[in-house]
Amino acid sequence: MEGQVLVAREGDDEEALLSSSRAETPRSFADEGRRPQQNLRMWLLGSLVLFVLALLTSRPMLKAEAEEAEHALDLWDEEIIKQQHSKEKSSCGYYGCQQSRGVCSCHHGCIMEGTCCADYRELCQVSDRAHAKSGPGASRGRCAELGCSRAYRYDQPCQCVPSCLDFDDCCDDFRSHCGANVSMSLEVAPSKDEEPKIKASFIPSAAVSADSKEKHKAFLKNHAARLELVKWQAVRSCPPQFMEKTILGGKQMQKLANISTAAECQKVCTLNVQCDGFVWAMNGACSLESLDGAAPNMMVQEGLISGLPCCRPKPAHTKVIPDCPELVLDMELSRAQGLREQEAKSAYACQQACSKATDCGAFSWTATTKRCSMKKLASDESAKMVPKAGVITGLPCGCRATVANALWPDSDEEKFTMPLPRGSQPVELGSLLCLALMLPYSYEAGLLIMQYKEHAGIFDCDEYTVYSSESMVLAPGLETRKVLTSQQCEVGGEFKSALNLRIFASFWRQVIADGQYLLYNWIVKVDPDSVFFPQRLRPILQRHEGGSMSTGGPGTYFNNCKFGMHGPLEVFSLATIRALGTSFLGCFKFFQKLCKGDCQWGEDMWVDQCLKRFVKARRLFEKNLLLEDHCDPPKGWKDCSDPRRVAFHPFKTVTDHRVCMESAHLASLEA
């Protein structure tokens, strides 16, 4: 047959191949009759080459050749090419240390900005440390010598536990020596005998550095004054302050200047027995008003805050005992001297009995036994409390308690001890409780008032509560829930962020004490300057309802940023909040040991690490939850035109907030 080509098959031997060629060659030549003899030689040579190739392809492929071939096939996968290119563009190995261009940064400030490339610590900070410690006597240590460990070791110059990656204190050979041999889940806190004495009080190291001691002293002074004021408000049962209101028909008794807050103006009014009301302006002006026995008449006036005086002590013979301080749930007095016990039908009846007894300084009422235990408190004695389920504690009515007597969590042990969890009942799938913590006398109040009037943000959830260190009526029907904190903190730590953990510990303490969260399947904490769309969140939560309903485990929460959970929008299942409440003190002690003191983290990082590493809650990453300036947002993100995003942050003015909301609504309609 003309043009015939013999193809070697796997398994053919050389003799069979040659026989086949010989058998067919005469027939081919007979048909053509004119082919030269040299064609036979070329034919046989070609067949031999094909045979050798067949042997090569039929032998087992070496491992190196197989990997190379597999890699060659991978190069044709477009997605792999894209991933590799993206990975290179997100590396300090690509940009070089101390550079700030590209999709991520490799300079020192990136930690504070939250824009570091993933390998910044490994490539740049290790190099910086090595350079800094290369002087005489520098000795860092190596995991090859110290050994990989399951617990933090205070006696080592560097660490060989998985958490060292979070705290940036790994030995230089940790990854190569221990990386494959240790697991984060196996890490434990140091034992008691390894633990050094932890300082009783917390002083941020960033605040006491050589160049900021004066600033720290000023903060301590201001914080002490603020703490004294909020404790005074607690024992004086101060009524709420009214935002954007003034008092009509009153006679101005006195006008003071440089009064920094409406709370201070209210205290001045209270201490002046002739004052029936006050009006405070943002410029620090405090007007004391006399009403001559008439009822206060308030009207809307932007930029003003007005209110009534706090409780004033009444004569001992007064029959009606008004102005009772708020009760504290699931806490019992521990150190106060006992007076007597009697039966009382309720905690309020016990409080009235204590109020009528001149020697009663505080009381505890037990729900199961209906026993009212009255306690004696000296005027300079602070009331110490311990958690106890079913016990309610309080102070007598009539504002006779002193600031020192205030039922206030002063120590870290008290601040991080949450109320004991109550029983729960079945909740509705997808139900949302949305919470916000508002800083009083700040732009946050104006943002929340605007959102409330437009039924936006947290006010579009199934239920909402606004917490604050001040009791304030922001709008008709919207009053803040008071938390026991000054809401003051310093800035410091590795990320130069607000050290607001203790503020939010008080926030979560009040949330858990209120128990409102037990009625909802999802609990969402939102910063007031976040532009938040609950209806965009619901479809995301719907996909994870199954895992959120289990009350036996630690539940589910969401990570909203590639750098870790950020505070502007925090989403937790009911089970997770219950687990967080029971683990708050345990987490605090765990990280105190791990950090050899305070970790100097903000609330968001602390809660994220607590749930992830101590509680072992289910952590889900959802990229569409949040767009914010500290989480490497895309260019032009502030136009809020991405219809998939649940929240945008920060927008700190009412105008900017409203523009973002309107832009987002328009984007949703066009999507």
Side-chain angles (χ1 to χ4, degrees):
M1 184 181 296
E2 186 173 358
Q4 181 180 9
V5 178
L6 295 177
V7 179
R9 298 185 302 275
E10 186 175 353
D12 290 346
D13 56 21
E14 184 177 3
E15 185 63 31
L17 187 63
L18 291 176
S19 298
S20 175
S21 66
R22 293 191 192 102
E24 295 193 346
T25 298
R27 187 165 56 248
S28 299
F29 280 6
D31 291 339
E32 295 182 5
R34 297 184 299 275
R35 193 175 294 271
Q37 186 68 23
Q38 64 181 4
N39 285 356
L40 178 59
R41 296 194 186 103
M42 294 180 64
W43 187 275
L44 292 174
L45 182 60
S47 299
L48 184 59
V49 171
L50 288 174
F51 175 74
V52 173
L53 289 175
L55 289 177
L56 289 174
T57 56
S58 64
R59 71 176 178 86
M61 189 176 291
L62 296 177
K63 181 179 179 181
E65 293 172 338
E67 292 175 351
E68 184 176 353
E70 184 180 0
H71 179 65
L73 292 175
D74 286 348
L75 292 179
W76 293 100
D77 188 326
E78 199 168 281
E79 286 303 314
I80 291 179
I81 294 175
K82 290 179 180 178
Q83 291 173 11
Q84 182 65 25
H85 180 70
S86 175
K87 191 173 182 180
E88 290 173 354
K89 290 286 187 178
S90 303
S91 169
C92 291
Y94 181 87
Y95 295 116
C97 297
Q98 304 308 319
Q99 300 299 318
S100 59
R101 59 183 181 272
V103 298
C104 57
S105 302
C106 301
H107 61 87
H108 287 304
C110 73
I111 293 179
M112 179 177 65
E113 299 166 359
T115 59
C116 297
C117 296
D119 57 358
Y120 169 69
R121 294 177 184 274
E122 181 181 3
L123 297 183
C124 299
Q125 287 200 319
V126 168
S127 175
D128 293 344
R129 289 197 304 265
H131 177 74
K133 299 186 179 185
S134 59
S139 177
R140 177 156 180 83
R142 301 177 68 248
C143 292
E145 301 167 356
L146 300 172
C148 302
S149 176
R150 290 180 56 195
Y152 200 97
R153 293 294 304 274
Y154 297 116
D155 54 347
Q156 294 181 176
C158 58
Q159 295 300 319
C160 300
V161 292
S163 61
C164 70
L165 296 172
D166 290 333
F167 303 111
D168 190 32
D169 57 358
C170 298
C171 297
D172 292 337
D173 64 342
F174 169 73
R175 288 183 181 275
S176 60
H177 188 74
C178 301
N181 302 324
V182 292
S183 170
M184 184 75 74
S185 62
L186 297 176
E187 185 171 340
V188 296
S191 59
K192 201 70 177 177
D193 57 348
E194 293 177 305
E195 180 182 351
K197 185 175 181 181
I198 298 174
K199 293 182 180 179
S201 61
F202 162 62
I203 301 177
S205 61
V208 294
S209 58
D211 58 346
S212 60
K213 286 184 178 180
E214 293 303 318
K215 185 177 180 181
H216 177 61
K217 289 179 181 178
F219 168 81
L220 292 180
K221 182 178 179 180
N222 293 334
H223 179 256
R226 172 64 180 160
L227 193 59
E228 177 87 3
L229 177 60
V230 291
K231 286 184 176 182
W232 181 89
Q233 288 179 314
V235 298
R236 287 298 186 104
S237 307
C238 294
Q241 304 155 30
F242 291 81
M243 286 286 301
E244 300 185 343
K245 291 290 181 71
T246 188
I247 298 177
L248 293 180
K251 179 182 178 181
Q252 187 180 88
M253 299 171 45
Q254 189 178 2
K255 189 172 184 179
L256 307 173
N258 301 320
I259 304 298
S260 60
T261 64
E264 291 183 30
C265 185
Q266 187 178 39
K267 182 176 181 179
V268 172
C269 176
T270 303
L271 298 179
N272 186 330
V273 295
Q274 303 299 320
C275 178
D276 298 318
F278 70 92
V279 179
W280 180 80
M282 297 298 288
N283 63 4
C286 173
S287 175
L288 306 184
E289 305 285 328
S290 174
L291 301 177
D292 294 327
N297 182 20
M298 296 184 181
M299 71 170 292
V300 176
Q301 180 68 55
E302 290 188 8
L304 299 180
I305 299 176
S306 64
L308 304 178
C310 306
C311 170
R312 295 183 178 116
K314 303 294 190 297
H317 64 272
T318 302
K319 294 182 180 180
V320 178
I321 304 176
D323 303 315
C324 300
E326 190 169 349
L327 304 178
V328 180
L329 305 180
D330 295 324
M331 300 294 282
E332 182 182 36
L333 291 169
S334 61
R335 295 185 186 175
Q337 180 183 351
L339 288 174
R340 56 188 170 275
E341 289 191 359
Q342 67 182 58
E343 187 174 347
K345 293 182 178 180
S346 67
Y348 296 103
C350 183
Q351 189 175 41
Q352 289 293 317
C354 178
S355 303
K356 293 175 182 178
T358 57
D359 55 351
C360 179
F363 70 91
S364 290
W365 179 80
T366 305
T368 54
T369 62
K370 307 295 183 185
R371 299 301 296 173
C372 175
S373 301
M374 299 187 196
K375 308 284 185 176
K376 186 175 182 179
L377 281 180
S379 60
D380 59 349
E381 183 180 358
S382 61
K384 299 299 181 182
M385 298 180 292
V386 294
K388 190 168 184 179
V391 177
I392 298 175
T393 295
L395 298 174
C397 305
C399 55
R400 72 176 189 231
T402 65
V403 171
N405 298 155
L407 301 179
W408 199 273
D410 283 317
S411 68
D412 279 339
E413 185 89 8
E414 292 174 312
K415 290 175 183 176
F416 287 89
T417 299
M418 299 291 121
L420 300 173
R422 307 177 198 172
S424 60
Q425 58 187 26
V427 296
E428 183 180 349
L429 286 174
S431 53
L432 286 181
L433 170 63
C434 296
L435 312 170
L437 179 63
M438 182 196 79
L439 183 66
Y441 320 122
S442 72
Y443 66 89
E444 294 182 349
L447 292 175
L448 288 170
I449 292 172
M450 180 272 292
Q451 294 170 40
Y452 179 74
K453 291 178 178 178
E454 300 194 12
H455 198 67
I458 68 169
F459 306 105
D460 194 25
C461 298
D462 299 316
E463 189 58 72
Y464 53 81
T465 303
V466 177
Y467 291 85
S468 179
S469 57
E470 293 291 339
S471 178
M472 307 184 78
V473 177
L474 303 181
L478 179 61
E479 183 175 344
T480 62
R481 184 79 173 94
K482 193 162 184 177
V483 294
L484 303 182
T485 175
S486 66
Q487 275 191 275
Q488 291 181 327
C489 67
E490 296 182 90
V491 174
E494 179 184 1
F495 304 103
K496 300 297 184 290
S497 58
L499 302 176
N500 56 6
L501 173 57
R502 284 158 181 78
I503 294 174
F504 277 93
S506 297
F507 163 78
W508 285 115
R509 195 169 185 270
Q510 193 61 56
V511 169
I512 294 170
D514 290 345
Q516 189 182 18
Y517 74 99
L518 295 168
L519 304 176
Y520 299 90
N521 198 34
W522 296 98
I523 294 86
V524 186
K525 184 191 77 66
V526 186
D527 281 358
D529 56 351
S530 293
V531 182
F532 168 53
F533 300 97
Q535 301 310 318
R536 296 184 182 183
L537 176 61
R538 292 184 188 274
I540 295 174
L541 300 181
Q542 203 170 34
R543 299 196 298 265
H544 304 286
E545 289 287 1
S548 71
M549 295 298 291
S550 173
T551 57
T556 300
Y557 77 105
F558 287 86
N559 175 25
N560 54 25
C561 176
K562 62 184 180 181
F563 303 122
M565 187 181 77
H566 282 194
L569 180 68
E570 300 177 6
V571 184
F572 312 93
S573 70
L574 167 59
T576 301
I577 296 299
R578 287 177 64 90
L580 180 65
T582 57
S583 303
F584 228 89
L585 184 59
C587 276
F588 171 72
K589 292 181 177 179
F590 175 78
F591 288 121
Q592 282 277 318
K593 293 175 182 178
L594 210 56
C595 298
K596 295 186 289 186
D598 201 286
C599 292
Q600 299 196 22
W601 291 341
E603 176 266 351
D604 49 3
M605 184 174 181
W606 191 92
V607 169
D608 187 20
Q609 292 296 314
C610 174
L611 292 175
K612 176 184 174 183
R613 301 174 57 183
F614 190 84
V615 178
K616 308 294 184 184
R618 183 184 180 210
R619 186 180 192 251
L620 300 174
F621 176 70
E622 177 54 62
K623 66 177 182 179
N624 287 328
L625 279 182
L626 180 66
L627 263 184
E628 71 147 350
D629 55 357
H630 288 162
C631 191
D632 192 20
K635 187 176 181 180
W637 69 276
K638 284 192 174 182
D639 62 10
C640 305
S641 61
D642 189 338
R644 302 165 299 172
R645 302 291 179 164
V646 174
F648 303 85
H649 175 270
F651 292 87
K652 297 182 180 295
T653 68
V654 170
T655 299
D656 290 344
H657 206 99
R658 185 178 281 115
V659 167
C660 178
M661 282 198 311
E662 293 173 353
S663 176
H665 284 310
L666 182 61
S668 295
L669 294 174
E670 294 175 348

